[in-house]
């Protein structure tokens, strides 16, 4: 039950932050708003790519997989 409460709390905090940022972007002139949105989108894509690389690194470090029928032990 504690995990559900923490997840709901983080969800509502992120919702408040995102709505505040959107209000800020929509309340300023369109040129600056487009610039801020494009910067935020670029950062989101960059952070997603880094997360994807970290996820691949975790999978290949901890999975006991074979490459061309040769066992590759996980590096400790």
């Amino acid at each position: 039950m504690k995990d559900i409460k923490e997840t709901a709390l983080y969800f509502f905090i992120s919702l408040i932050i995102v709505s505040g940022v959107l209000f800020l972007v929509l309340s300023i002139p369109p040129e600056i708003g487009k610039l801020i949105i494009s910067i935020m989108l670029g950062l989101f894509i960059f952070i997603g790519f880094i997360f994807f690389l970290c996820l691949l690194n975790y999978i290949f470090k901890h999975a006991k997989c074979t490459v061309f029928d040769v066992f590759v032990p996980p590096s400790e």
Side-chain angles (χ1 to χ4, degrees):
M1 192 68 177
K2 182 180 176 187
D3 293 336
I4 295 173
K5 288 181 181 178
E6 286 180 1
T7 304
L9 179 67
Y10 294 149
F11 176 76
F12 286 123
I13 289 173
S14 62
L15 191 66
I16 290 171
I17 291 172
V18 167
S19 62
V21 168
L22 283 177
F23 175 74
L24 176 72
V25 167
L26 293 175
S27 66
I28 56 179
E31 299 84 20
I32 300 172
K34 288 179 186 177
L35 178 67
I36 292 175
I37 288 177
S38 63
I39 290 172
M40 287 171 48
L41 184 64
L43 284 174
F44 178 75
I45 292 171
F46 180 71
I47 291 170
F49 181 68
I50 296 296
F51 175 75
F52 178 70
L53 290 180
C54 291
L55 186 64
L56 279 180
N57 186 28
Y58 176 80
I59 289 171
F60 285 121
K61 269 189 176 178
H62 294 88
K64 294 179 173 33
C65 58
T66 59
V67 179
F68 301 120
D69 294 329
V70 176
F71 178 70
V72 179
S75 58
E76 295 294 329

